[in-house]
Coordinates of all heavy atoms in Angstrom, one line a residue:
Chain A
L261 N -7.1 96.9 5.2 CA -8.0 98.0 5.6 C -8.0 99.1 4.5 O -9.1 99.6 4.2 CB -7.4 98.6 6.9 CG -8.1 99.8 7.5 CD1 -9.6 99.5 7.8 CD2 -7.4 100.3 8.8
G262 N -6.9 99.4 4.0 CA -6.8 100.4 2.9 C -7.6 100.0 1.7 O -8.4 100.9 1.2
F263 N -7.5 98.8 1.3 CA -8.3 98.4 0.1 C -9.8 98.5 0.4 O -10.6 98.9 -0.4 CB -7.9 97.0 -0.3 CG -6.8 97.0 -1.4 CD1 -5.6 96.3 -1.1 CD2 -7.0 97.6 -2.6 CE1 -4.6 96.3 -2.0 CE2 -5.9 97.6 -3.5 CZ -4.8 97.0 -3.3
D264 N -10.2 98.0 1.6 CA -11.6 98.0 2.0 C -12.1 99.4 2.0 O -13.2 99.7 1.4 CB -11.8 97.4 3.4 CG -11.5 95.9 3.4 OD1 -11.4 95.3 2.3 OD2 -11.4 95.3 4.5
L265 N -11.4 100.3 2.6 CA -11.9 101.7 2.6 C -11.9 102.4 1.2 O -12.8 103.1 0.9 CB -11.0 102.6 3.6 CG -11.1 102.2 5.1 CD1 -10.1 102.9 5.9 CD2 -12.5 102.5 5.6
A266 N -10.8 102.1 0.5 CA -10.7 102.6 -0.9 C -11.9 102.3 -1.7 O -12.4 103.1 -2.5 CB -9.4 102.2 -1.5
F267 N -12.3 101.0 -1.6 CA -13.4 100.6 -2.5 C -14.8 101.0 -1.9 O -15.7 101.3 -2.6 CB -13.4 99.1 -2.7 CG -12.5 98.7 -3.9 CD1 -11.1 98.6 -3.7 CD2 -13.0 98.6 -5.2 CE1 -10.3 98.3 -4.8 CE2 -12.2 98.4 -6.3 CZ -10.9 98.2 -6.1
K268 N -14.8 101.1 -0.6 CA -16.1 101.5 0.1 C -16.4 103.0 -0.4 O -17.5 103.3 -0.7 CB -15.9 101.5 1.6 CG -17.2 101.8 2.3 CD -17.0 101.4 3.8 CE -18.2 102.0 4.6 NZ -17.9 101.9 6.1
Y269 N -15.3 103.8 -0.4 CA -15.6 105.2 -0.7 C -15.1 105.6 -2.1 O -15.2 106.8 -2.4 CB -14.9 106.1 0.3 CG -15.5 105.9 1.7 CD1 -14.9 105.1 2.7 CD2 -16.8 106.4 2.0 CE1 -15.5 104.9 3.9 CE2 -17.4 106.2 3.3 CZ -16.7 105.5 4.2 OH -17.3 105.3 5.4
R270 N -14.6 104.7 -2.9 CA -14.0 105.1 -4.2 C -13.0 106.2 -4.2 O -13.2 107.3 -4.7 CB -15.2 105.4 -5.2 CG -15.8 104.2 -5.8 CD -16.8 104.6 -6.9 NE -16.2 105.2 -8.1 CZ -16.8 105.7 -9.1 NH1 -18.1 105.7 -9.1 NH2 -16.2 106.3 -10.1
M271 N -11.9 105.9 -3.5 CA -10.9 107.0 -3.4 C -9.6 106.3 -3.1 O -9.5 105.1 -2.9 CB -11.2 108.0 -2.4 CG -11.4 107.5 -1.0 SD -12.1 108.6 0.2 CE -10.8 109.9 0.4
A272 N -8.5 107.1 -3.0 CA -7.2 106.6 -2.7 C -7.0 106.4 -1.2 O -7.5 107.3 -0.4 CB -6.1 107.5 -3.2
A273 N -6.4 105.3 -0.7 CA -6.0 105.2 0.7 C -4.5 105.1 0.7 O -3.9 104.4 0.0 CB -6.6 103.9 1.3
C274 N -4.0 106.0 1.6 CA -2.5 106.1 1.7 C -2.1 105.4 2.9 O -2.7 105.5 4.0 CB -2.1 107.6 1.8 SG -0.4 107.8 2.3
I275 N -1.0 104.6 2.8 CA -0.4 104.0 4.0 C 0.9 104.8 4.2 O 1.8 104.7 3.5 CB -0.1 102.5 3.8 CG1 -1.4 101.7 3.6 CG2 0.7 102.0 5.0 CD1 -1.2 100.3 3.2
L276 N 0.8 105.7 5.2 CA 1.9 106.6 5.5 C 2.9 106.1 6.5 O 2.6 106.1 7.7 CB 1.4 108.0 5.9 CG 2.4 109.1 6.1 CD1 3.1 109.4 4.8 CD2 1.8 110.4 6.7
S277 N 4.0 105.5 6.0 CA 4.9 104.8 6.9 C 6.2 105.6 6.9 O 6.3 106.8 6.4 CB 5.1 103.4 6.3 OG 6.2 102.8 6.8
D278 N 7.3 105.1 7.3 CA 8.6 105.8 7.2 C 9.7 104.7 7.1 O 9.5 103.5 7.2 CB 8.8 106.7 8.4 CG 9.0 106.0 9.7 OD1 9.9 105.1 9.8 OD2 8.2 106.2 10.6
G279 N 10.9 105.2 6.9 CA 12.1 104.4 6.6 C 12.3 103.4 7.7 O 12.8 102.3 7.5
A280 N 12.0 103.8 9.0 CA 12.3 102.8 10.1 C 11.3 101.7 10.0 O 11.8 100.5 10.1 CB 12.1 103.6 11.4
I281 N 10.1 101.9 9.8 CA 9.1 100.8 9.8 C 9.2 100.0 8.5 O 9.0 98.8 8.5 CB 7.7 101.4 9.9 CG1 7.6 102.3 11.2 CG2 6.6 100.4 9.9 CD1 6.5 102.1 12.1
G282 N 9.6 100.7 7.4 CA 9.8 100.0 6.2 C 11.0 99.0 6.2 O 10.9 97.9 5.7
Q283 N 12.0 99.5 6.8 CA 13.3 98.7 6.8 C 13.4 97.7 8.0 O 14.2 96.8 7.9 CB 14.5 99.7 6.9 CG 14.7 100.5 5.6 CD 15.1 99.6 4.4 OE1 15.8 98.6 4.6 NE2 14.6 99.9 3.3
M284 N 12.7 97.9 9.1 CA 13.0 97.1 10.2 C 12.3 95.7 10.0 O 11.3 95.6 9.4 CB 12.5 97.7 11.5 CG 11.0 97.7 11.7 SD 10.4 98.6 13.1 CE 11.1 97.6 14.5
M285 N 12.8 94.7 10.6 CA 12.2 93.4 10.7 C 11.6 93.3 12.1 O 12.2 93.6 13.1 CB 13.1 92.3 10.5 CG 13.5 92.0 9.1 SD 14.0 90.3 8.9 CE 15.1 90.4 7.5
E286 N 10.4 92.8 12.2 CA 9.7 92.5 13.4 C 8.8 91.2 13.2 O 8.6 90.9 12.1 CB 8.7 93.6 13.7 CG 9.1 94.6 14.7 CD 8.1 95.6 15.1 OE1 7.1 95.8 14.3 OE2 8.2 96.2 16.1
K287 N 8.2 90.7 14.3 CA 7.3 89.6 14.1 C 6.1 90.2 13.4 O 5.6 91.2 13.7 CB 6.8 89.0 15.3 CG 7.6 89.0 16.5 CD 6.9 88.0 17.5 CE 6.7 88.7 18.8 NZ 6.7 87.8 20.0
V288 N 5.5 89.3 12.5 CA 4.3 89.6 11.9 C 3.5 88.4 11.7 O 4.0 87.3 11.4 CB 4.5 90.4 10.6 CG1 5.4 89.7 9.7 CG2 3.2 90.7 9.9
V289 N 2.2 88.4 12.0 CA 1.3 87.3 11.7 C 0.6 87.6 10.4 O -0.2 88.6 10.3 CB 0.3 87.1 12.9 CG1 -0.6 85.9 12.6 CG2 1.0 86.9 14.2
L290 N 0.8 86.8 9.4 CA 0.3 87.0 8.1 C -1.1 86.5 8.0 O -1.4 85.4 8.5 CB 1.2 86.4 7.0 CG 2.6 87.0 6.9 CD1 3.5 86.1 6.1 CD2 2.5 88.4 6.4
P291 N -2.0 87.2 7.3 CA -3.4 86.6 7.1 C -3.3 85.5 6.0 O -2.3 85.3 5.3 CB -4.1 87.8 6.5 CG -3.1 88.7 5.8 CD -1.8 88.5 6.6
D292 N -4.4 84.8 6.0 CA -4.5 83.7 5.0 C -4.7 84.3 3.6 O -5.2 85.4 3.4 CB -5.7 82.7 5.3 CG -5.4 82.0 6.6 OD1 -4.2 81.9 7.0 OD2 -6.4 81.6 7.3
Q293 N -4.3 83.5 2.6 CA -4.5 84.0 1.2 C -6.0 84.1 0.9 O -6.8 83.1 1.1 CB -3.8 83.0 0.2 CG -4.0 83.3 -1.2 CD -3.2 84.6 -1.6 OE1 -2.0 84.7 -1.3 NE2 -3.9 85.5 -2.3
K294 N -6.4 85.2 0.3 CA -7.8 85.4 -0.2 C -7.7 85.2 -1.7 O -6.7 85.6 -2.3 CB -8.3 86.8 0.1 CG -8.6 87.0 1.6 CD -9.8 87.9 1.8 CE -9.6 89.3 1.2 NZ -10.7 90.3 1.5
P295 N -8.8 84.7 -2.3 CA -8.8 84.6 -3.8 C -8.9 86.0 -4.4 O -9.6 86.9 -3.8 CB -10.0 83.7 -4.1 CG -10.9 83.9 -2.9 CD -10.0 84.2 -1.7
R296 N -8.4 86.2 -5.6 CA -8.7 87.4 -6.3 C -10.1 87.4 -6.8 O -10.7 86.3 -7.0 CB -7.7 87.6 -7.5 CG -6.3 88.0 -7.1 CD -5.3 88.0 -8.2 NE -5.9 88.7 -9.4 CZ -6.1 88.1 -10.6 NH1 -5.8 86.9 -10.8 NH2 -6.6 88.8 -11.5
M297 N -10.7 88.6 -6.9 CA -12.1 88.6 -7.4 C -12.1 88.2 -8.8 O -11.2 88.5 -9.6 CB -12.6 90.1 -7.3 CG -13.1 90.4 -5.9 SD -13.6 92.2 -5.8 CE -15.2 92.1 -6.4
T298 N -13.2 87.5 -9.2 CA -13.3 87.1 -10.7 C -13.8 88.4 -11.4 O -14.3 89.3 -10.9 CB -14.3 86.0 -10.9 OG1 -15.6 86.5 -10.5 CG2 -13.9 84.8 -10.0
D299 N -13.6 88.3 -12.8 CA -14.1 89.4 -13.6 C -15.6 89.6 -13.4 O -16.1 90.7 -13.4 CB -13.7 89.1 -15.1 CG -12.2 89.2 -15.3 OD1 -11.5 89.6 -14.4 OD2 -11.8 88.9 -16.4
E300 N -16.3 88.5 -13.3 CA -17.8 88.6 -13.2 C -18.1 89.3 -11.8 O -19.0 90.1 -11.8 CB -18.4 87.2 -13.2 CG -18.5 86.6 -14.6 CD -17.1 86.4 -15.2 OE1 -16.2 85.9 -14.5 OE2 -16.9 86.7 -16.4
E301 N -17.4 88.9 -10.8 CA -17.6 89.5 -9.5 C -17.4 91.0 -9.5 O -18.1 91.8 -9.0 CB -16.7 88.9 -8.4 CG -17.2 87.5 -7.9 CD -16.2 86.8 -7.1 OE1 -15.0 87.1 -7.1 OE2 -16.6 85.8 -6.4
I302 N -16.3 91.4 -10.2 CA -16.0 92.8 -10.3 C -17.1 93.6 -11.1 O -17.5 94.6 -10.6 CB -14.6 93.0 -11.0 CG1 -13.5 92.5 -10.1 CG2 -14.4 94.5 -11.4 CD1 -12.1 92.5 -10.8
K303 N -17.5 93.0 -12.2 CA -18.6 93.6 -13.0 C -19.9 93.8 -12.2 O -20.5 94.8 -12.2 CB -18.8 92.8 -14.3 CG -17.7 93.0 -15.2 CD -18.1 92.4 -16.6 CE -16.9 92.6 -17.5 NZ -17.2 92.4 -18.9
A304 N -20.2 92.8 -11.4 CA -21.4 92.8 -10.6 C -21.3 93.8 -9.5 O -22.2 94.6 -9.2 CB -21.7 91.4 -10.1
K305 N -20.1 93.9 -8.9 CA -20.0 94.7 -7.6 C -19.7 96.1 -7.9 O -20.1 97.0 -7.2 CB -18.8 94.1 -6.8 CG -18.9 94.5 -5.3 CD -18.1 93.6 -4.4 CE -18.1 94.1 -3.0 NZ -17.1 93.6 -2.2
Y306 N -19.0 96.4 -9.0 CA -18.6 97.8 -9.3 C -19.1 98.3 -10.7 O -18.4 98.3 -11.7 CB -17.0 97.9 -9.3 CG -16.4 97.3 -8.0 CD1 -15.4 96.4 -8.1 CD2 -16.8 97.8 -6.8 CE1 -14.9 95.8 -7.0 CE2 -16.3 97.2 -5.6 CZ -15.3 96.2 -5.7 OH -14.7 95.7 -4.6
P307 N -20.4 98.7 -10.7 CA -21.0 99.0 -12.0 C -20.4 100.2 -12.6 O -20.5 100.4 -13.8 CB -22.5 99.3 -11.6 CG -22.5 99.5 -10.1 CD -21.3 98.7 -9.5
W308 N -19.6 101.0 -11.9 CA -19.0 102.2 -12.4 C -17.7 101.9 -13.2 O -17.2 102.7 -13.9 CB -18.6 103.2 -11.3 CG -17.9 102.5 -10.1 CD1 -18.5 102.1 -9.0 CD2 -16.5 102.2 -10.0 NE1 -17.6 101.5 -8.2 CE2 -16.3 101.5 -8.8 CE3 -15.4 102.3 -10.9 CZ2 -15.1 101.0 -8.4 CZ3 -14.2 101.9 -10.5 CH2 -14.0 101.2 -9.2
A309 N -17.2 100.7 -13.0 CA -15.9 100.4 -13.5 C -15.9 100.2 -15.0 O -16.8 99.7 -15.6 CB -15.3 99.2 -12.9
I310 N -14.8 100.7 -15.7 CA -14.8 100.6 -17.2 C -14.1 99.3 -17.5 O -12.8 99.2 -17.5 CB -14.1 101.8 -17.8 CG1 -12.7 102.2 -17.1 CG2 -14.9 103.1 -17.8 CD1 -11.8 103.0 -17.9
N311 N -14.8 98.3 -17.9 CA -14.2 97.0 -18.3 C -15.0 96.5 -19.4 O -15.1 95.2 -19.6 CB -14.1 96.1 -17.1 CG -15.3 96.2 -16.2 OD1 -16.4 96.3 -16.7 ND2 -15.1 96.1 -14.9
G312 N -15.6 97.3 -20.3 CA -16.4 96.9 -21.4 C -17.9 96.9 -21.0 O -18.3 96.1 -20.2
R313 N -18.7 97.8 -21.6 CA -20.1 97.8 -21.2 C -20.9 96.7 -21.9 O -20.5 96.1 -22.9 CB -20.7 99.2 -21.7 CG -20.7 99.4 -23.2 CD -21.8 100.3 -23.6 NE -21.7 100.6 -25.0 CZ -21.9 99.7 -26.0 NH1 -22.2 98.5 -25.7 NH2 -21.8 100.1 -27.3
K314 N -22.0 96.3 -21.2 CA -22.9 95.3 -21.8 C -23.6 95.9 -22.9 O -24.0 97.1 -22.9 CB -23.9 94.9 -20.7 CG -23.8 93.4 -20.3 CD -25.1 92.9 -19.9 CE -25.1 92.1 -18.7 NZ -25.7 92.5 -17.5
N315 N -23.8 95.1 -24.0 CA -24.6 95.6 -25.2 C -25.9 96.2 -24.7 O -26.6 95.6 -23.9 CB -24.8 94.5 -26.2 CG -23.9 94.6 -27.3 OD1 -23.3 95.7 -27.6 ND2 -23.6 93.5 -28.0
G316 N -26.2 97.4 -25.2 CA -27.5 98.0 -24.9 C -27.5 98.8 -23.6 O -28.4 99.5 -23.3
T317 N -26.4 98.8 -22.9 CA -26.4 99.6 -21.6 C -25.5 100.8 -21.9 O -24.7 100.9 -22.8 CB -25.8 98.8 -20.4 OG1 -24.4 98.5 -20.8 CG2 -26.5 97.5 -20.1
Q318 N -25.7 101.8 -21.0 CA -25.0 103.1 -21.1 C -23.5 102.8 -20.9 O -23.1 102.0 -20.0 CB -25.5 103.9 -19.9 CG -24.9 105.3 -19.7 CD -25.6 106.3 -20.6 OE1 -26.8 106.4 -20.6 NE2 -24.8 107.2 -21.2
H319 N -22.7 103.5 -21.7 CA -21.2 103.4 -21.5 C -20.8 104.1 -20.2 O -21.6 105.0 -19.8 CB -20.4 103.9 -22.7 CG -20.5 105.3 -22.9 ND1 -19.5 106.0 -23.6 CD2 -21.3 106.3 -22.5 CE1 -19.8 107.3 -23.6 NE2 -20.9 107.5 -23.0
R320 N -19.7 103.8 -19.6 CA -19.3 104.4 -18.4 C -18.1 105.3 -18.7 O -17.3 105.0 -19.6 CB -19.0 103.4 -17.3 CG -20.3 102.7 -16.9 CD -20.1 101.3 -16.5 NE -19.5 100.4 -17.5 CZ -19.3 99.1 -17.3 NH1 -19.7 98.5 -16.2 NH2 -18.7 98.4 -18.3
I321 N -17.9 106.3 -17.9 CA -16.8 107.3 -18.2 C -16.1 107.5 -16.8 O -16.8 107.8 -15.8 CB -17.3 108.6 -18.8 CG1 -18.0 108.3 -20.1 CG2 -16.1 109.6 -18.9 CD1 -18.7 109.6 -20.7
I322 N -14.8 107.4 -16.9 CA -14.0 107.7 -15.7 C -13.3 109.1 -16.0 O -12.4 109.1 -16.9 CB -13.0 106.6 -15.4 CG1 -13.7 105.3 -14.9 CG2 -12.0 107.1 -14.3 CD1 -14.3 105.4 -13.6
T323 N -13.7 110.1 -15.4 CA -13.0 111.4 -15.7 C -13.1 112.3 -14.5 O -13.9 112.1 -13.6 CB -13.8 112.1 -16.9 OG1 -13.2 113.4 -17.1 CG2 -15.2 112.3 -16.6
S324 N -12.2 113.3 -14.5 CA -12.2 114.3 -13.4 C -12.7 115.6 -13.9 O -12.8 116.6 -13.2 CB -10.9 114.4 -12.7 OG -9.9 114.8 -13.7
L325 N -13.1 115.6 -15.2 CA -13.3 116.9 -15.9 C -14.8 117.1 -16.1 O -15.6 116.2 -16.4 CB -12.7 116.8 -17.3 CG -13.1 117.9 -18.3 CD1 -12.3 119.1 -18.2 CD2 -13.0 117.3 -19.8
D326 N -15.3 118.4 -16.0 CA -16.6 118.8 -16.5 C -16.5 120.2 -16.8 O -16.1 121.1 -16.0 CB -17.7 118.5 -15.4 CG -19.0 118.2 -16.1 OD1 -19.3 119.0 -17.1 OD2 -19.7 117.2 -15.8
L327 N -16.9 120.5 -18.1 CA -16.8 121.9 -18.5 C -18.0 122.8 -18.0 O -18.0 124.0 -18.0 CB -16.7 122.0 -20.0 CG -15.5 121.4 -20.6 CD1 -15.5 121.5 -22.1 CD2 -14.2 122.1 -20.0
D328 N -19.0 122.0 -17.6 CA -20.2 122.7 -17.1 C -20.0 123.1 -15.6 O -19.9 122.2 -14.8 CB -21.4 121.8 -17.3 CG -22.7 122.3 -16.8 OD1 -22.7 123.2 -15.9 OD2 -23.8 121.8 -17.2
S329 N -20.0 124.3 -15.3 CA -19.6 124.7 -13.9 C -20.6 124.2 -12.9 O -20.2 123.8 -11.8 CB -19.6 126.3 -13.8 OG -18.5 126.8 -14.6
A330 N -21.9 124.2 -13.3 CA -22.9 123.7 -12.3 C -22.7 122.3 -12.0 O -22.7 121.9 -10.8 CB -24.3 123.9 -12.9
K331 N -22.3 121.5 -13.0 CA -22.1 120.1 -12.8 C -20.8 119.9 -12.0 O -20.7 119.0 -11.1 CB -22.0 119.3 -14.1 CG -23.3 119.1 -14.8 CD -23.2 117.9 -15.7 CE -24.5 117.6 -16.4 NZ -24.3 117.4 -17.9
M332 N -19.8 120.7 -12.3 CA -18.6 120.6 -11.5 C -18.8 121.0 -10.1 O -18.2 120.3 -9.2 CB -17.5 121.6 -12.1 CG -16.1 121.2 -11.8 SD -15.7 119.6 -12.5 CE -14.7 118.9 -11.1
E333 N -19.6 122.0 -9.8 CA -19.9 122.3 -8.4 C -20.6 121.1 -7.7 O -20.2 120.7 -6.6 CB -20.7 123.6 -8.3 CG -21.0 124.0 -6.9 CD -21.7 125.3 -6.7 OE1 -22.7 125.5 -7.3 OE2 -21.2 126.2 -6.0
E334 N -21.5 120.6 -8.4 CA -22.3 119.4 -7.9 C -21.3 118.3 -7.6 O -21.4 117.6 -6.5 CB -23.3 119.0 -9.0 CG -24.4 118.1 -8.5 CD -25.3 117.8 -9.7 OE1 -25.8 118.7 -10.4 OE2 -25.4 116.6 -10.0
H335 N -20.4 118.0 -8.5 CA -19.4 117.0 -8.3 C -18.6 117.2 -7.0 O -18.3 116.3 -6.2 CB -18.5 116.8 -9.5 CG -17.4 115.8 -9.4 ND1 -17.7 114.5 -9.1 CD2 -16.1 115.9 -9.5 CE1 -16.6 113.8 -9.0 NE2 -15.6 114.6 -9.3
N336 N -18.1 118.5 -6.9 CA -17.3 118.8 -5.7 C -18.2 118.7 -4.4 O -17.6 118.2 -3.4 CB -16.8 120.3 -5.8 CG -15.4 120.3 -6.5 OD1 -14.5 119.9 -5.8 ND2 -15.4 120.6 -7.7
I337 N -19.4 119.1 -4.5 CA -20.3 118.9 -3.3 C -20.4 117.4 -3.0 O -20.4 117.0 -1.8 CB -21.6 119.6 -3.5 CG1 -21.4 121.1 -3.5 CG2 -22.6 119.2 -2.5 CD1 -22.6 121.9 -4.0
H338 N -20.6 116.6 -4.0 CA -20.7 115.2 -3.8 C -19.4 114.7 -3.1 O -19.5 113.9 -2.1 CB -20.9 114.5 -5.2 CG -20.4 113.1 -5.2 ND1 -21.1 112.1 -4.5 CD2 -19.4 112.5 -5.7 CE1 -20.5 110.9 -4.7 NE2 -19.4 111.1 -5.4
L339 N -18.3 115.1 -3.6 CA -17.0 114.6 -3.0 C -17.0 115.1 -1.5 O -16.6 114.3 -0.6 CB -15.8 115.2 -3.7 CG -15.5 114.7 -5.1 CD1 -14.3 115.4 -5.7 CD2 -15.3 113.2 -5.1
Q340 N -17.3 116.3 -1.3 CA -17.3 116.8 0.1 C -18.2 116.0 1.0 O -17.9 115.8 2.2 CB -17.6 118.3 0.2 CG -16.5 119.2 -0.5 CD -15.1 119.0 0.0 OE1 -14.9 118.9 1.2 NE2 -14.2 118.9 -0.9
K341 N -19.4 115.7 0.5 CA -20.3 114.9 1.3 C -19.7 113.5 1.7 O -19.8 113.1 2.8 CB -21.6 114.6 0.5 CG -22.8 115.4 1.2 CD -24.0 115.4 0.3 CE -24.9 114.2 0.4 NZ -25.9 114.3 -0.7
K342 N -19.0 113.0 0.7 CA -18.3 111.7 1.0 C -17.3 111.9 2.1 O -17.1 111.1 3.0 CB -17.7 111.2 -0.3 CG -16.8 110.0 -0.3 CD -16.5 109.5 -1.7 CE -15.2 110.1 -2.2 NZ -14.9 109.5 -3.6
Y343 N -16.5 113.0 1.9 CA -15.4 113.2 2.9 C -16.0 113.4 4.3 O -15.5 113.0 5.3 CB -14.6 114.4 2.5 CG -13.9 114.2 1.2 CD1 -13.6 115.4 0.4 CD2 -13.5 113.0 0.7 CE1 -12.9 115.2 -0.9 CE2 -12.9 112.8 -0.5 CZ -12.6 113.9 -1.3 OH -11.9 113.8 -2.5
K344 N -17.1 114.1 4.4 CA -17.8 114.4 5.6 C -18.2 113.0 6.3 O -18.0 112.8 7.5 CB -19.1 115.2 5.3 CG -19.7 115.9 6.5 CD -19.4 117.3 6.6 CE -19.2 117.7 8.1 NZ -18.0 118.5 8.3
E345 N -18.8 112.2 5.5 CA -19.2 110.9 6.0 C -18.0 110.1 6.5 O -18.0 109.5 7.6 CB -19.8 110.1 4.9 CG -20.4 108.7 5.3 CD -20.9 107.8 4.2 OE1 -21.1 108.4 3.1 OE2 -21.0 106.6 4.4
I346 N -16.9 110.2 5.8 CA -15.7 109.5 6.3 C -15.2 110.1 7.6 O -14.8 109.4 8.6 CB -14.6 109.6 5.2 CG1 -15.0 108.8 4.0 CG2 -13.2 109.0 5.7 CD1 -14.1 109.1 2.8
E347 N -15.3 111.4 7.7 CA -14.9 112.1 9.0 C -15.7 111.6 10.1 O -15.3 111.5 11.3 CB -14.9 113.6 8.8 CG -13.7 114.2 8.1 CD -13.8 115.7 7.8 OE1 -15.0 116.2 7.8 OE2 -12.8 116.3 7.7
E348 N -17.0 111.3 9.8 CA -17.9 110.8 10.9 C -17.6 109.4 11.3 O -17.6 109.0 12.4 CB -19.4 110.9 10.4 CG -19.9 112.3 10.2 CD -19.9 113.1 11.5 OE1 -20.1 112.5 12.6 OE2 -19.6 114.3 11.4
K349 N -17.3 108.6 10.3 CA -17.3 107.1 10.5 C -16.0 106.4 10.6 O -15.9 105.3 11.1 CB -18.1 106.4 9.4 CG -19.6 106.7 9.3 CD -20.2 105.8 8.3 CE -21.7 106.1 8.1 NZ -22.1 105.7 6.8
E350 N -14.9 107.0 10.0 CA -13.7 106.2 9.8 C -12.5 106.7 10.7 O -11.4 106.3 10.4 CB -13.3 106.2 8.4 CG -14.4 105.7 7.4 CD -14.8 104.3 7.6 OE1 -14.1 103.6 8.4 OE2 -15.8 103.8 7.1
V351 N -12.7 107.5 11.6 CA -11.6 108.0 12.5 C -11.1 106.8 13.3 O -11.9 106.1 13.9 CB -12.0 109.1 13.4 CG1 -10.9 109.5 14.4 CG2 -12.4 110.3 12.6
R352 N -9.8 106.6 13.3 CA -9.2 105.5 14.1 C -8.1 106.0 14.9 O -7.3 106.8 14.4 CB -8.8 104.4 13.2 CG -9.9 103.6 12.6 CD -9.4 102.7 11.5 NE -10.3 101.7 11.0 CZ -11.4 102.0 10.2 NH1 -11.5 103.2 9.8 NH2 -12.2 101.1 9.8
Y353 N -8.0 105.6 16.2 CA -6.8 106.1 17.0 C -6.7 105.1 18.2 O -7.6 104.3 18.4 CB -7.0 107.5 17.5 CG -8.3 107.7 18.3 CD1 -8.4 107.4 19.7 CD2 -9.5 108.1 17.7 CE1 -9.5 107.6 20.4 CE2 -10.7 108.3 18.4 CZ -10.7 108.0 19.7 OH -11.8 108.1 20.4
E354 N -5.6 105.3 18.9 CA -5.4 104.5 20.1 C -5.0 105.4 21.2 O -4.3 106.4 21.0 CB -4.2 103.5 19.8 CG -3.9 102.5 20.9 CD -2.6 101.7 20.6 OE1 -1.9 101.9 19.6 OE2 -2.4 100.8 21.4
M355 N -5.5 105.1 22.4 CA -5.1 105.9 23.6 C -4.4 105.0 24.5 O -4.8 103.9 24.9 CB -6.4 106.4 24.3 CG -7.2 107.3 23.4 SD -7.3 108.9 24.2 CE -8.8 109.6 23.5
I356 N -3.3 105.5 25.0 CA -2.5 104.8 26.0 C -2.3 105.7 27.3 O -1.8 106.8 27.2 CB -1.2 104.4 25.4 CG1 -1.4 103.4 24.3 CG2 -0.2 103.8 26.5 CD1 -0.3 103.1 23.4
N357 N -2.8 105.1 28.4 CA -2.6 105.8 29.7 C -3.3 107.2 29.7 O -2.8 108.2 30.3 CB -1.2 106.0 30.1 CG -0.6 104.7 30.6 OD1 -1.2 103.6 30.5 ND2 0.6 104.7 31.2

Side-chain angles (χ1 to χ4, degrees):
Chain A
L261 177 62
F263 271 120
D264 290 347
L265 292 171
F267 274 85
K268 184 168 172 193
Y269 295 104
R270 276 186 68 184
M271 62 192 289
C274 166
I275 297 175
L276 186 62
S277 166
D278 66 58
I281 303 228
Q283 289 294 324
M284 79 186 290
M285 283 205 207
E286 257 187 341
K287 330 191 232 207
V288 51
V289 179
L290 295 169
D292 295 334
Q293 178 70 51
K294 288 211 304 186
R296 284 174 48 239
M297 279 173 85
T298 64
D299 291 353
E300 285 63 42
E301 283 169 342
I302 290 172
K303 288 189 178 194
K305 202 161 173 196
Y306 308 126
W308 47 264
I310 47 160
N311 38 39
R313 62 153 176 68
K314 242 211 225 117
N315 259 338
T317 61
Q318 178 89 43
H319 71 158
R320 292 150 301 185
I321 298 169
I322 294 287
T323 179
S324 58
L325 165 87
D326 208 313
L327 294 179
D328 179 339
S329 295
K331 281 202 184 138
M332 200 65 220
E333 184 173 51
E334 200 180 301
H335 177 58
N336 267 285
I337 290 170
H338 155 73
L339 291 179
Q340 293 304 317
K341 247 167 82 186
K342 173 168 92 176
Y343 299 152
K344 194 103 218 134
E345 183 186 343
I346 296 170
E347 282 177 333
E348 293 299 325
K349 292 188 185 157
E350 306 295 352
V351 174
R352 288 168 170 77
Y353 57 86
E354 184 186 7
M355 296 242 204
I356 294 166
N357 286 9

